[in-house]
Amino acid sequence: MADDSKVSNVGGRYAQALFDLANDEKKLSAVEADLKALKKMSADSKDLRSLLASPAFSADDKGKALAALGAKAKLNPTTRKFLGLLAANGRASALPAVITAFEALAADARGAISAQVTTAVPLTPTQSKGVAAALRTALGKDPEIETRVDPALLGGIKVQVGSRLFDASLRSKLDSLKFALKRA
């Protein structure tokens, strides 16, 4: 658990540095779009996740792979240089934490707040609008919602905003009931 907090702290520091650089170069939206694309690539590719996380690959190998990926995806030069720096410093495994922290910084700069919404089935447009309205009312800021589908929830919804988690999923209610029955 302590190791995760170190990675997120490293991710936060690197994200802040990238955010400041992109802001100074007036390329904030381009870098943010690049990071969102990288996030999607990572989610879609088990090989990329393995490359980033595995200590079996050297920092040089990770750097070459990220450089090739950046060139192929036509990422902004600022993003490509940053990926090279991340790999050269042996921090390629922190890329997911960097992306998450950067998204939060960018949303905060726009006066919005990032929220991750997980449901058992995809939300309809009407449901998405309802969730956005409820979050806007509860948080006082416009939410930028990222939706995920996790059939393991069985039903209901999980909403994470920063470190706060609202869990109204059927899975967590069943787990609570199971725990209560075991104690009885």
Side-chain angles (χ1 to χ4, degrees):
M1 192 74 163
D3 194 43
D4 286 345
S5 67
K6 286 181 188 175
V7 170
S8 65
N9 288 340
V10 167
R13 288 193 302 269
Y14 275 93
Q16 185 67 57
L18 179 60
F19 180 83
D20 292 342
L21 177 65
N23 199 22
D24 290 346
E25 293 181 351
K26 308 285 188 238
K27 296 182 178 178
L28 197 56
S29 60
V31 171
E32 185 178 9
D34 288 347
L35 292 179
K36 285 186 184 210
L38 281 168
K39 185 177 186 177
K40 180 165 178 22
M41 287 179 220
S42 180
D44 293 345
S45 172
K46 185 178 180 193
D47 291 339
L48 179 58
R49 288 191 306 272
S50 296
L51 172 79
L52 293 174
S54 176
F57 297 102
S58 69
D60 190 44
D61 290 339
K62 290 179 183 184
K64 288 177 184 174
L66 288 173
L69 182 66
K72 180 86 172 163
K74 297 181 179 150
L75 299 180
N76 186 291
T78 302
T79 308
R80 283 194 255 168
K81 287 177 188 174
F82 175 76
L83 291 174
L85 174 76
L86 204 61
N89 290 347
R91 300 294 191 180
S93 62
L95 183 59
V98 171
I99 293 171
T100 301
F102 189 93
E103 287 174 338
L105 289 169
D108 191 45
R110 287 190 299 275
I113 192 159
S114 293
Q116 294 177 333
V117 175
T118 308
T119 57
V121 295
L123 293 175
T124 65
T126 305
Q127 291 170 327
S128 293
K129 287 178 185 175
V131 169
L135 287 173
R136 189 175 303 110
T137 302
L139 303 171
K141 291 184 176 183
D142 286 331
E144 292 183 351
I145 298 175
E146 176 186 330
T147 59
R148 290 185 15 213
V149 175
D150 181 4
L153 294 182
L154 301 177
I157 188 169
K158 283 172 69 171
V159 179
Q160 183 166 0
V161 179
S163 62
R164 293 181 286 175
L165 175 68
F166 171 76
D167 189 349
S169 67
L170 187 55
R171 168 59 57 202
S172 68
K173 291 180 182 190
L174 288 172
D175 288 343
S176 295
L177 182 61
K178 179 177 161 185
F179 180 72
L181 289 172
K182 282 185 178 180
R183 290 184 65 197

